[in-house]
């Protein structure tokens, strides 16, 4: 069943607002709190909250305790293959985050920002290759226009510094290439799993978040294990930090709904719009100065969203090769 343009625009608007609120709140906690919390533990707790929220929604969806238990027993406890299948995006996202950090450590911030935007066309390419979809020329133009717009919005001229930092540009570009590929692959892989069966979205979320908790716990103790043993798992947590975790949890669940009923490219557009919106909000909250490059980039983002939203062939359901055409022939 096709998804209306109005619904897609609604999803885009809600995701943009949620992502912008999360970005602003996260920036506040990372710049104003005296006792800086461990971001790795926050990510882990986010996965736990998303798991519990998904369990609660599934319980409401099934309607009775008996059906709820049967669904968990059949789709979670009794489906190790599905759990293994949904562990793939969790592992790939973990690799992506580590590669992004390695790239940022070996590239100038401006170079990193520009090259990392390649994840937008990479996602579009993965969508075409993995989901057997087609994008029109105008859609491809809008994707690359969005990439350029986000680059300009985030562009900050490099400033001279007396501190000499040893960097390996070759290692940095290699790491960011892996991060870009991981970003596109993981998102589209999850979309493919969601749309390739009639299994409940919330069952799929439970399967993915279970593996996500294991992966993030491993990252917690590999990255900050020694300090956490000394200071505690919840060191530096404030009400603002819990608010950021809440926004990340709800935003993650809503993102899965958007991927289920629209696509990953639309998710990328909402993320780009959120960057613009959060930057505008930062002018009032943090005294950020609007530049000409930002204004031009924001314009490109807005135009690209408009172009991508123009009437086109539906791309929200996975094509089944020539099945539809064969059915029409049989019908005749």
């Amino acid at each position: 069943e096709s998804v209306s343009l109005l619904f897609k625009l609604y999803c885009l608007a809600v995701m943009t607002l949620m992502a912008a609120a999360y970005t602003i709140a996260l920036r506040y906690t990372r710049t104003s709190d005296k006792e800086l919390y461990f971001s790795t533990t926050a990510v882990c707790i986010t996965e736990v909250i998303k798991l519990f929220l998904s369990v609660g929604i599934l319980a409401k969806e099934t309607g009775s305790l008996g059906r709820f238990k049967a669904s968990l027993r059949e789709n979670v406890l009794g489906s190790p293959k599905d759990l293994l299948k949904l562990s793939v995006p969790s592992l790939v996202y973990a690799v992506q985050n580590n590669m992004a950090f390695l790239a940022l450590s070996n590239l100038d911030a401006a170079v990193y920002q520009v090259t990392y935007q390649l994840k937008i066309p990479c996602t579009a390419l993965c969508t075409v290759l993995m989901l057997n979809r087609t994008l029109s020329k105008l859609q491809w133009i809008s994707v690359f226009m969005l990439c350029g717009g986000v680059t300009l919005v985030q562009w900050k001229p490099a400033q001279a510094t007396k501190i000499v930092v040893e960097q390996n540009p070759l290692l940095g570009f290699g790491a960011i290439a892996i991060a870009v590929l991981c970003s596109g692959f993981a998102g589209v892989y999850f979309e493919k799993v969601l749309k390739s069966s009639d299994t409940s979205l919330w069952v799929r979320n439970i399967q993915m978040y279970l593996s996500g908790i294991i992966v993030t716990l491993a990252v917690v103790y590999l990255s900050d294990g020694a300090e956490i043993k000394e200071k505690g798992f919840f060191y530096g947590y404030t009400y603002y930090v819990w608010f950021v975790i809440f926004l990340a949890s709800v935003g993650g669940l809503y993102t899965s709904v958007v991927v289920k009923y629209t696509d990953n490219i639309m998710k990328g557009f909402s993320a780009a719009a959120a960057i613009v919106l959060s930057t505008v909000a930062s002018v009032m909250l943090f005294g950020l100065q609007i530049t000409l490059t930002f204004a031009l980039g924001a314009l490109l983002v807005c135009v690209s969203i408009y172009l991508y939203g123009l009437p086109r062939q539906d791309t929200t359901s996975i094509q089944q090769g020539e099945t539809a055409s064969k059915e029409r022939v049989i019908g005749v």
Side-chain angles (χ1 to χ4, degrees):
E1 183 179 353
S2 62
V3 181
S4 68
L5 176 60
L6 184 61
F7 177 76
K8 290 183 179 182
L9 291 176
Y10 169 78
C11 290
L12 176 66
V14 174
M15 276 198 68
T16 298
L17 291 174
M18 293 180 67
Y22 169 75
T23 301
I24 295 168
L26 178 62
R27 178 174 179 180
Y28 178 80
T29 61
R30 301 303 287 182
T31 56
S32 63
D33 285 359
K34 294 181 180 179
E35 296 182 342
L36 196 62
Y37 62 97
F38 298 108
S39 59
T40 53
T41 63
V43 173
C44 183
I45 295 171
T46 300
E47 293 295 303
V48 173
I49 293 176
K50 286 191 289 187
L51 174 63
F52 278 105
L53 289 175
S54 296
V55 169
I57 295 173
L58 178 63
K60 184 177 180 181
E61 185 181 73
T62 51
S64 70
L65 183 60
R67 285 197 294 268
F68 171 66
K69 289 182 178 179
S71 179
L72 285 182
R73 189 163 48 246
E74 177 185 355
N75 297 299
V76 180
L77 300 178
S79 300
K81 289 184 178 180
D82 283 347
L83 285 175
L84 185 62
K85 185 189 299 183
L86 269 297
S87 68
V88 172
S90 298
L91 291 171
V92 173
Y93 279 131
V95 173
Q96 174 195 340
N97 293 333
N98 282 278
M99 289 298 102
F101 178 79
L102 181 61
L104 188 56
S105 302
N106 287 278
L107 296 173
D108 292 333
V111 176
Y112 169 84
Q113 288 168 353
V114 172
T115 52
Y116 198 50
Q117 302 317 314
L118 291 174
K119 65 182 180 180
I120 299 172
C122 182
T123 299
L125 182 61
C126 287
T127 298
V128 171
L129 296 178
M130 296 172 62
L131 301 185
N132 195 28
R133 293 178 183 164
T134 57
L135 297 180
S136 66
K137 291 182 180 179
L138 188 59
Q139 287 175 315
W140 279 113
I141 291 173
S142 65
V143 165
F144 283 100
M145 184 181 294
L146 178 72
C147 184
V150 175
T151 299
L152 289 176
V153 165
Q154 295 185 307
W155 178 265
K156 291 181 181 178
Q159 296 179 350
T161 176
K162 295 181 180 179
I163 302 176
V164 179
V165 180
E166 291 187 7
Q167 293 181 329
N168 186 338
L170 186 60
L171 178 62
F173 282 118
I176 207 166
I178 295 174
V180 165
L181 291 174
C182 286
S183 176
F185 172 79
V188 177
Y189 178 92
F190 183 56
E191 181 181 351
K192 184 179 180 67
V193 172
L194 282 180
K195 297 181 179 179
S196 296
S197 70
D198 295 328
T199 304
S200 167
L201 166 65
W202 307 111
V203 168
R204 291 304 191 195
N205 277 342
I206 291 171
Q207 293 169 338
M208 186 171 73
Y209 297 145
L210 279 172
S211 58
I213 291 171
I214 296 174
V215 171
T216 53
L217 274 175
V219 173
V220 164
Y221 286 101
L222 287 174
S223 301
D224 304 308
E227 290 187 78
I228 288 174
K229 287 180 181 178
E230 178 185 348
K231 299 179 180 179
F233 195 86
F234 298 101
Y235 174 79
Y237 275 56
T238 64
Y239 291 114
Y240 294 110
V241 175
W242 284 109
F243 180 62
V244 168
I245 292 174
F246 170 77
L247 287 177
S249 302
V250 176
L253 291 180
Y254 189 79
T255 298
S256 66
V257 174
V258 171
V259 171
K260 172 72 174 179
Y261 295 106
T262 59
D263 54 42
N264 267 281
I265 302 176
M266 181 64 72
K267 184 183 74 174
F269 275 76
S270 67
I275 291 173
V276 175
L277 184 60
S278 60
T279 305
V280 171
S282 296
V283 174
M284 298 177 287
L285 298 175
F286 304 110
L288 186 70
Q289 298 295 320
I290 293 292
T291 63
L292 179 61
T293 54
F294 171 83
L296 179 58
L299 177 62
L300 286 177
V301 168
C302 293
V303 172
S304 66
I305 291 173
Y306 170 77
L307 292 178
Y308 190 81
L310 290 177
R312 62 193 185 280
Q313 182 182 358
D314 181 63
T315 63
T316 61
S317 59
I318 299 177
Q319 297 176 4
Q320 303 296 330
E322 299 178 355
T323 301
S325 60
K326 289 181 179 179
E327 288 178 354
R328 286 196 295 271
V329 172
I330 293 174
V332 173

